[in-house]
Amino acid sequence: MQTIQQEIDERTNLTSSNKLELLLFRLGEDPGLDRNELFGINVFKIREIIPMPTITAVAGSPPHMMGVVDLRGQILPVIDLPAVAGCTPKTGLNILLITEYARSTQAFAVESVEDIVRLDWRQVLSAEGNGASGMVTSIARLDGENSDRLAQVLDVETILRQVMPSTEQEIDPDNIGPHVDLKPGTVILAADDSLIARTMIEQGLEAMGLPYIMCKTGKEAWDQLQAFSAKAQEEGKTVHDRVALVLTDLEMPEMDGFTLTRNIKQDPRFSAIPVVIHSSLTGSTNEAHVRKVGADAYVAKFVAEDLANALRQALSTVH
């Protein structure tokens, strides 16, 4: 029992140290590269790992959906992850990763599971602009900041929307509510490393009539805050004349949302700026971490109305 509790405590402490644990797995050979690449997913998203059970095919399933599995009375969709990534397993699909993501549970079939590694977010670099596909959100250097051993961190958000697209309209302006008026000259500073998430956030902010600046990492948002502060000081103003609210994801390369939020709340220049965390890492444990770092609100991805309500509530406290 002591060992289990120690492991829980250690994982809880990851959120206060800009670290993450990454589950490494393989999907098979990439025909274009002629090698078997390593892939990764945040351990916080993994509920369990099981040997491949019997899967029931479902008529009319979308491409890359293998069917469903009955896991202790819960029916879960099973996604063929190698097929999504364009890889060919040499030994077959042997393992199911059961993931909890944005209030949903699903299973990903993979060839093999390799290891769990603990990394600093500074070892994780944005994949955008590095020739990676849209389903890879970042690249992890596994053996330090100068490591040549790399793992591709998959964007679960994008994969799920590709395989199981929603039939509902993503942003319905009628459900967003009235426009919100900010103090003239101020903006929402937003950060998210997922392209599809940024697109949806931008649509939501535009539907609310909120001006914004969008960043791809927590570090980029932190640097932007510093620049705002310096510029405001030159003009005899404060950063509150520039930034009305910070909206941040949790999982981001270089600096995660926990660290960004803690930096903001511990800095006298920024501490009064409301911070809303918008994340697919749902559950009571993660919500407790959010409260611990001082965020003003937490909203699970992605229901546009919930995000709009959280932003409206947080902005109502700004004087």
Side-chain angles (χ1 to χ4, degrees), residues 154-218:
L154 292 177
D155 186 347
V156 178
E157 196 162 1
T158 295
I159 291 170
L160 286 179
R161 289 188 176 274
Q162 285 180 351
V163 176
M164 298 183 293
S166 172
T167 56
E168 301 175 3
Q169 182 180 355
E170 297 292 2
I171 305 293
D172 185 348
D174 293 336
N175 295 331
I176 293 295
H179 279 199
V180 177
D181 294 324
L182 296 185
K183 179 180 177 180
T186 62
V187 300
I188 304 296
L189 182 61
D192 201 300
D193 67 326
S194 167
L195 176 59
I196 193 167
R198 289 199 302 274
T199 301
M200 295 172 71
I201 291 167
E202 288 170 356
Q203 291 172 354
L205 294 175
E206 287 165 4
M208 295 179 73
L210 291 170
Y212 62 86
I213 290 177
M214 182 63 72
C215 302
K216 299 176 184 176
T217 71

Side-chain angles (χ1 to χ4, degrees), residues 7-208:
E7 184 175 329
I8 292 171
D9 291 342
E10 286 179 357
R11 287 193 169 156
T12 298
N13 290 335
L14 291 177
T15 61
S16 62
S17 56
N18 200 40
K19 294 183 183 294
L20 79 156
E21 283 188 331
L22 206 60
L23 175 73
L24 302 178
F25 54 90
R26 296 190 187 273
L27 301 179
E29 194 168 276
D30 184 330
L33 300 174
D34 197 30
R35 61 175 183 261
N36 199 320
E37 298 286 348
L38 268 175
F39 293 86
I41 188 172
N42 193 330
V43 168
F44 276 128
K45 287 182 175 174
I46 303 292
R47 194 177 82 183
E48 60 183 304
I49 302 169
I50 61 173
M52 183 62 67
T54 300
I55 295 173
T56 302
V58 176
S61 294
H64 308 321
M65 184 171 157
M66 299 171 63
V68 297
V69 62
D70 183 348
L71 188 62
R72 296 184 294 277
Q74 185 178 14
I75 304 300
L76 303 178
V78 180
I79 296 168
D80 184 341
L81 201 49
V84 174
C87 296
T88 304
K90 288 187 175 181
T91 63
L93 297 172
N94 305 308
I95 302 290
L96 273 191
L97 307 182
I98 312 300
T99 67
E100 291 183 333
Y101 166 85
R103 310 183 218 196
S104 67
T105 306
Q106 52 282 313
F108 290 100
V110 303
E111 182 175 34
S112 64
V113 168
E114 296 284 307
D115 198 4
I116 292 177
V117 294
R118 186 166 293 183
L119 306 174
D120 191 295
W121 274 108
R122 287 175 295 185
Q123 294 172 240
V124 184
L125 306 178
S126 175
E128 287 191 34
N130 292 323
S133 69
M135 71 183 66
V136 175
T137 187
S138 50
I139 306 293
R141 291 171 168 165
L142 300 179
D143 301 318
E145 294 187 32
N146 297 315
S147 169
D148 290 330
R149 193 164 73 102
L150 307 176
Q152 301 177 56
V153 183
L154 292 177
D155 186 347
V156 178
E157 196 162 1
T158 295
I159 291 170
L160 286 179
R161 289 188 176 274
Q162 285 180 351
V163 176
M164 298 183 293
S166 172
T167 56
E168 301 175 3
Q169 182 180 355
E170 297 292 2
I171 305 293
D172 185 348
D174 293 336
N175 295 331
I176 293 295
H179 279 199
V180 177
D181 294 324
L182 296 185
K183 179 180 177 180
T186 62
V187 300
I188 304 296
L189 182 61
D192 201 300
D193 67 326
S194 167
L195 176 59
I196 193 167
R198 289 199 302 274
T199 301
M200 295 172 71
I201 291 167
E202 288 170 356
Q203 291 172 354
L205 294 175
E206 287 165 4
M208 295 179 73

